[in-house]
Amino acid sequence: MASLFVIQGRDQGRRFDLEDDVVSIGRDTINLIQLHDNEVSRRHAEIRKDGSGLVLVDLQSSNGTFVNDAAVQEYRLRSGDRLLIGRTLMIFTAADDSSALDLAGEADIVGQEFDLAGSRIVKSISQEEGSQILDGSSVPRNSWLERARSNLQIMYRTALAVSHTLDIDQLLNRIVELIFEWVEADRGCVMLVDPRTGQLSPKVTRHRRRRTGEEKQKLAISRTILDYVMERGQGVLTSDAREDERWDPAASILKMGVREAICVPMQGRYGVVGAIYIDTYTAPGLFVQTSANKFSEEHLKLMVAIGHQAALAVEDTSYYIAMVQAERLAAIGQTIATLSHHIKNILQGIRGGSYLIEEGLKGEDSEVVRKGWTIVEKNQEKISNLVMDMLTFSKEREPDLTPSDLQELVEDVVELMQVRASEAGVELVKVDSEPIGELLFDSELMHRAVLNVVTNAIDACESAEDSRVAVEAEHDAEQGVARIHVRDNGAGIAEHDLKKVFALFESRKGSRGTGLGLPVSQKILREHGGDIRVQSKLGAGSTFTLEFPAVRPENAGGSATLVDYPPS
Amino acid sequence: MTASQPAQSSSVLIIDPSAECREVLSTLLQRRGVQTWVAAQARQALDVLDRHRPDVVVLDLDSDAADDSQLRDRCTGHEAEGANYVLLGRARTGMQSRAAGHVIPKPYHYAPLIRTIEALLGR
């Protein structure tokens, strides 16, 4: 489906699907796409379905509608278009991007025998060698080539430095660090445009080591220079700011005693995202010994290129952060919706039970009170299980391995679940097997893991005839593992559903299932270095096998450790 | 006969996937002298509708039964039906018309639900 994704502005991270024939965009709540942006008109624009495509139409908005930096009245949207409405920047993605397929017809990857023009490999370079070009020990001495090589090296390193980070502050720090490595700057600062206010705000500042006797001064940056850079999108070099006529009306430079400064815009794909400023500082009245300029035009050019590179990285990073944020919000939303649904059902049960109790008390009918109380108790158990599952699922923890008896644990679970099983008309039994003795595992967690699987098995059997759930614990000394088998003769699980049984919030039990039980059991077994397997046949039932490494307390040494799994 | 005494003909069909909810509501209604039927599935519900013609139908909108097109047609009034409907939960498009005044969002309290049902039964 075609969509708009907000990459800048207050709605950053939101994605709007364009499914209706007409999608209105504006500040008012009546719009299908409501933008929280004061520079957007109440009814700003519309996207209309037109044949196979989508057409963006400006609804005589006050501030206009822009696509790829050009004002538009009516515009047929193409994948990758940038829509600027007010301060909100969005990327349009068409429903079906077939450009990749089209290309396939135009290029062929041919086999060895197809020797098109007798081409042969003249020289090949490994990745490592490629980087060596930049360090240049083998390159002949030639000032132009050397300079070009050194510039290329800087760009190469900048490109490497700015990739693979999700932290904008860290990214900017790396950039400043690089700049300081090759320019004799005393101070540097990277400023980013605040998407809300449109104002520049400093993000990273850096001072080279102070000369002795010099006071550390707060970095003050001339607004005159900044405005010039931001308004014109040009980098500037001031070799001696006091003599430069362009700055004449402003006294700020004189006051600050700047001698040389470079300020470049951070020009990205979608606009200027900020500015980089470096200078060599000399306090007013301090005698300057150096005569040669520290900054040259070449430095400026390179800074402009670095500014551009940095801006692209900042844009990519913000875009990526917005995507991650959107996905996270969607996941949180789904979690809350699912949990609320279960809690709502439990609450409904408690209300019903309490109302029965109230009614029974009023009418002095103990039978009704008992009915109500049973319902309240059951729901109390449900909410307790839900909370325990939520806690177990949310926490990463090491199991507390203590010597425990697996047979006893299984007996406990079977006894605990008898009432539920008999209510569901299911026979729940523990299969007698060889005594196991004590093994090391977290009995509380393992109890929960088995309980969830048994609960599931009972629910799977509910409508089956002569339904039976059998639980069996065994110790396989040869394999060095302990297993708990939970067998039911219930409905069974279809082949395509088998993959989903351990997926979070995937329940086939309708309103009864939370979709937490099996994922929690799986997590517990994995924390023990084991896992759960399931075999199932539709209509014949399922067998869940919980398996984990069997460690005897006496073999565990001083501290309990988990052995490798699966055992080799 | 006084107003608090039950009318002989009062009957209610409860369609709810939750056994607890069915039990609570039918207990409460029976204590008020109302005859009740319960159903978890659309098939059972349709069977009761055809055979017993209940005065009021209480339908849980989260149930699979609420997705059944035949049952839905009866709720929206495409087929003439004598019963009044009380829908529990959030009504989906197309279901409000007949039961417009009687959609009760979940989680609901039982006292107002009972009052609504009693009003529909003309008590």
Side-chain angles (χ1 to χ4, degrees), chain A residues 201-216:
Chain A
S201 64
K203 291 289 173 197
V204 175
T205 59
R206 189 171 159 140
H207 294 251
R208 202 179 281 279
R209 202 152 40 88
R210 280 170 283 145
R211 288 165 209 140
T212 42
E214 195 178 303
E215 289 291 309
K216 183 176 179 183

Side-chain angles (χ1 to χ4, degrees), chain A residues 327-348:
Chain A
E327 272 169 32
R328 197 174 292 162
L329 281 176
I332 293 172
Q334 193 215 356
T335 310
I336 291 177
T338 312
L339 292 177
S340 311
H341 180 76
H342 298 314
I343 294 168
K344 195 174 71 181
N345 283 339
I346 294 169
L347 182 60
Q348 193 62 62

Side-chain angles (χ1 to χ4, degrees), chain A residues 283-297:
Chain A
L286 202 78
F287 182 68
V288 186
Q289 289 167 327
T290 49
S291 53
N293 286 339
K294 286 182 188 165
F295 293 166
S296 69
E297 204 181 316

Side-chain angles (χ1 to χ4, degrees), chain A residues 348 351-352 359 365 371 379, chain B residues 20 23 31-32 107-108:
Chain A
Q348 193 62 62
R351 277 189 185 166
E359 179 118 338
D365 185 339
K371 238 185 214 179
N379 282 287
Chain B
E20 276 171 11
E23 188 184 352
R31 285 174 61 77
R32 285 161 177 78
Y108 48 84

